[in-house]
Amino acid sequence: MSLVRLNIKGISYSQTQNGAYALILNEVNGDRKLPIVIGAFEAQSIAIALEKEIRPPRPLTHDLFKNFSDRFDITIKQVIIHKLVDGVFYSSLICERDKIEEIIDARTSDAIALALRFQAPIFTYKNILDKAGIYLKVNPDKDNETSHDEDVLVEDLVAEELETSSSEDIYNAKTLDELNKLLAEAVMNEDYEKAAQIRDEISKR
């Protein structure tokens, strides 16, 4: 089975469903997206790894794992999402120490959080992407065009969440000084999802 490389497209958050996050992975050299439901802590950890300029005052669990691995010369070479059963994705960490390769089972959310910290590539098998991959609609005039009829409901849900996340403008009226103060407060309070949103607004400025 051939492997397909994935990049992280982003994280969407549902304000209507408390604690619901969707990690969106994007097919490299392709248009399909792979949405994976993850927990709040893992979403924050991934958001922190994506936002290089946000540094928590104390190491998160995945940061601790990275520090531990560095101390003992363990590296993660790649992450493979290798199985999909009843809507649950299963992943493996391909690790190396002293030129000996080991495969470690991991939750997909944890595996991706670690892949970001080790700058390791993320892969899945083509048959998994064929089964669970979707095409997010980018043109509202083409609502009638879908590539996977069985994925229409999932497609609409994820597209709606991405639109909700990207359309938030609660920080638009804030000055840069106010945004920087809010960013510092969010990091101190370990509210990394909020910190990521504020950081995005600062970057736009």
Side-chain angles (χ1 to χ4, degrees), residues 113-128:
L114 291 172
L116 284 169
R117 287 162 171 80
F118 283 86
Q119 297 183 345
I122 303 166
F123 295 94
T124 192
Y125 289 108
K126 183 178 181 298
N127 66 320
I128 292 178

Side-chain angles (χ1 to χ4, degrees), residues 95-151:
C95 305
E96 185 179 86
R97 181 171 184 255
D98 295 332
K99 297 183 179 180
I100 298 175
E101 191 175 277
E102 299 284 350
I103 301 176
I104 299 176
D105 182 43
R107 295 187 307 169
T108 298
S109 54
D110 289 328
I112 292 174
L114 291 172
L116 284 169
R117 287 162 171 80
F118 283 86
Q119 297 183 345
I122 303 166
F123 295 94
T124 192
Y125 289 108
K126 183 178 181 298
N127 66 320
I128 292 178
L129 196 57
D130 289 340
K131 181 179 180 181
I134 61 174
Y135 290 85
L136 293 182
K137 287 181 282 189
V138 296
N139 189 339
D141 295 328
K142 297 182 180 180
D143 285 347
N144 294 326
E145 295 182 10
T146 57
S147 299
H148 294 74
D149 291 340
E150 67 275 17
D151 288 326

Side-chain angles (χ1 to χ4, degrees), residues 84-99:
L84 174 61
V85 179
D86 296 329
V88 178
F89 293 91
Y90 292 76
S91 294
S92 295
L93 303 173
I94 312 301
C95 305
E96 185 179 86
R97 181 171 184 255
D98 295 332
K99 297 183 179 180

Side-chain angles (χ1 to χ4, degrees), residues 44 48 53-58 60 170-171 177-200 202:
Q44 288 185 346
I48 284 295
E53 297 182 30
I54 298 178
R55 295 186 178 276
R58 299 293 296 154
L60 301 178
I170 58 177
Y171 302 116
D177 287 340
E178 289 172 332
L179 287 173
N180 281 309
K181 289 178 182 178
L182 288 173
L183 176 60
E185 291 174 3
V187 172
M188 287 301 296
N189 293 330
E190 298 187 359
D191 188 348
Y192 301 120
E193 179 69 21
K194 180 178 179 180
Q197 293 174 359
I198 296 170
R199 183 67 226 172
D200 286 345
I202 292 174

Side-chain angles (χ1 to χ4, degrees), residues 30-60:
D31 298 324
R32 286 177 293 183
K33 310 292 187 295
L34 192 66
I36 300 174
V37 177
I38 62 176
F41 172 77
E42 292 78 12
Q44 288 185 346
S45 182
I46 291 170
I48 284 295
L50 290 171
E51 296 288 342
K52 303 296 184 182
E53 297 182 30
I54 298 178
R55 295 186 178 276
R58 299 293 296 154
L60 301 178

